[in-house]
Amino acid sequence: MSKVQEIAEMSKKQENKWSNFAFRIIVNSASHPFEYAKVLIQIGYEPIPPRPAKTFFGKPALKLPNIFQYVKHIKSVDGFVGLYTGLAPKLCGNLLSTIAAHKCAEFLNLGDEEEELEEETEEQSKKKWIKSMKSDLITHSLTVIVSQPFHVITVRMMAQFVGKETKYCGLFTSIREIYHDNGILGFFSGLVPRMLGDVLALILAGSLTYTINRYFIEERELKVYTGATMNFLSSAIMYPFQVVSNCMAVTNSGLAIGSPAYMPHYNSWVQCWLDLSKKNQLKRGSSLLVRYYVGPSITIGGKPLPITKESNFIS
């Protein structure tokens, strides 16, 4: 390949990288209101009381509002603009992650991957997979670390909805508040469970994809779908780490949602995990369309009713 062709190829890759990032910005912006509602659910805030309903099998239950009803409630309180609270720091974190991933790929020389050979031996395939997995783990871990401060800011901006605070009203103001309240470590609140969940999901998805494609699927066309399916499955299994990470991002932050009676002041993410596990709350927010209340309840006249600490909070 001539020098001119190399430059043209590099220019094309650069354009594709930034066009993909622009597409991600559009997608993230469009889906942000739903992500906002999901974060509030994950940290345990339920502003709309559950109503008596029945499960698919006809058993009495308490049904919580779906994600669309939750978004509608946020809009009714803060208006349309309020639906995009926390979008700016989230996009900053995404930009920094993209740059970090690109630089890491350059450092590890991941630009040109070898094409899969038709008659690839098991040893060659295994070595190739291990090399790819190591590179993915390094790159992914780096992107999580560099984006965590912006993730914390985003979650705390969203969490202000509960107590109607205004502590985190801008990027630089939020940086000052986090440093004042929690010091440097405050910018990395919830980092360990977030990284642990992402890394375990990556390892699980990669291992399952390799095993299935190598030993169970022969059709090349079907192998394309294995990775996406395994990524979805592994993300669902590791979902509790997301809940714990976002709870750790707001606990003892000076916000109403991060303090008793809404939430205990957790000293570690393990303590948070054990507490949520005891309350059967590790999967909250995993289902966004059909949601059932799983907290303490009492049955009166054949109808289940929730037992709550606050009129707008379900423990």
Side-chain angles (χ1 to χ4, degrees):
M1 183 182 291
S2 67
K3 191 68 175 177
V4 174
Q5 288 176 320
E6 287 182 9
I7 295 174
E9 188 68 22
M10 289 176 62
S11 177
K12 184 177 180 181
K13 288 181 179 180
Q14 196 77 1
E15 289 178 2
N16 288 337
K17 182 190 74 171
W18 289 112
S19 62
N20 289 337
F21 178 68
F23 177 74
R24 285 175 58 192
I25 290 179
I26 295 173
V27 172
N28 284 333
S29 299
S31 62
H32 185 76
F34 301 101
E35 183 68 22
Y36 184 7
K38 185 176 180 178
V39 167
L40 291 180
I41 293 171
Q42 287 176 334
I43 61 178
Y45 183 60
E46 295 290 353
I48 305 174
R51 57 181 178 81
K54 290 186 177 181
T55 65
F56 180 78
F57 300 100
K59 293 182 178 180
L62 290 166
K63 196 170 185 179
L64 290 165
N66 59 40
I67 193 69
F68 297 101
Q69 293 170 314
Y70 208 122
V71 169
K72 185 178 179 182
H73 173 76
I74 296 173
K75 183 181 178 182
S76 69
V77 175
D78 287 342
F80 181 79
V81 176
L83 291 174
Y84 293 89
T85 299
L87 177 61
K90 184 173 81 171
L91 294 181
C92 288
N94 288 343
L95 175 60
L96 200 58
S97 295
T98 301
I99 295 173
H102 178 66
K103 294 298 181 182
C104 188
E106 286 183 344
F107 179 76
L108 297 172
N109 296 318
L110 300 178
D112 300 315
E113 293 290 337
E114 297 178 4
E115 292 186 6
E116 185 179 348
L117 301 175
E118 289 290 341
E119 299 299 328
E120 195 174 46
T121 66
E122 183 172 348
E123 187 64 24
Q124 289 174 326
S125 176
K126 188 175 181 180
K127 285 183 178 179
K128 184 178 177 181
W129 173 75
I130 292 175
K131 180 183 177 181
S132 176
M133 180 60 66
K134 286 180 178 178
S135 301
D136 287 344
L137 288 173
I138 293 171
T139 303
H140 197 76
S141 298
L142 178 62
T143 58
V144 171
I145 291 172
V146 300
S147 66
Q148 184 63 19
F150 295 97
H151 179 73
V152 173
I153 293 172
T154 299
V155 173
R156 291 193 181 188
M157 280 186 172
M158 293 173 172
Q160 289 184 134
F161 181 82
V162 178
K164 303 298 180 287
E165 296 101 339
T166 56
K167 287 183 65 175
Y168 304 96
C169 56
L171 185 59
F172 296 106
T173 302
S174 299
I175 292 173
R176 186 180 69 247
E177 288 292 337
I178 292 175
Y179 182 76
H180 178 267
D181 291 341
N182 308 114
I184 294 294
L185 292 180
F187 293 102
F188 298 95
S189 301
L191 173 63
V192 175
R194 182 187 176 200
M195 179 176 287
L196 191 58
D198 286 5
V199 166
L200 289 176
L202 187 64
I203 293 173
L204 179 61
S207 302
L208 290 174
T209 300
Y210 171 79
T211 303
I212 293 172
N213 284 346
R214 185 67 189 173
Y215 301 106
F216 297 99
I217 298 179
E218 296 182 358
E219 293 79 4
R220 198 179 184 90
E221 295 76 13
L222 294 178
K223 291 183 178 182
V224 179
Y225 303 102
T226 309
T229 304
M230 294 304 103
N231 282 333
F232 176 80
L233 177 63
S234 60
S235 295
I237 294 174
M238 302 303 169
Y239 180 81
F241 287 98
Q242 290 184 36
V243 178
V244 174
S245 176
N246 286 338
C247 286
M248 291 304 297
V250 298
T251 187
N252 199 21
S253 61
L255 298 175
I257 189 65
S259 303
Y262 287 108
M263 181 188 299
H265 287 164
Y266 297 117
N267 296 318
S268 69
W269 73 269
V270 175
Q271 182 188 14
C272 178
W273 180 292
L274 293 175
D275 182 58
L276 294 179
S277 177
K278 183 175 64 175
K279 298 175 181 176
N280 196 23
Q281 295 291 308
L282 281 174
K283 298 287 285 185
R284 59 189 181 198
S286 58
S287 177
L288 298 177
L289 295 179
V290 180
R291 304 175 55 230
Y292 292 105
Y293 170 68
V294 294
S297 62
I298 185 172
T299 302
I300 299 178
K303 293 184 178 181
L305 297 174
I307 300 175
T308 62
K309 291 180 181 178
E310 303 287 342
S311 59
N312 63 345
F313 175 75
I314 299 172
S315 58

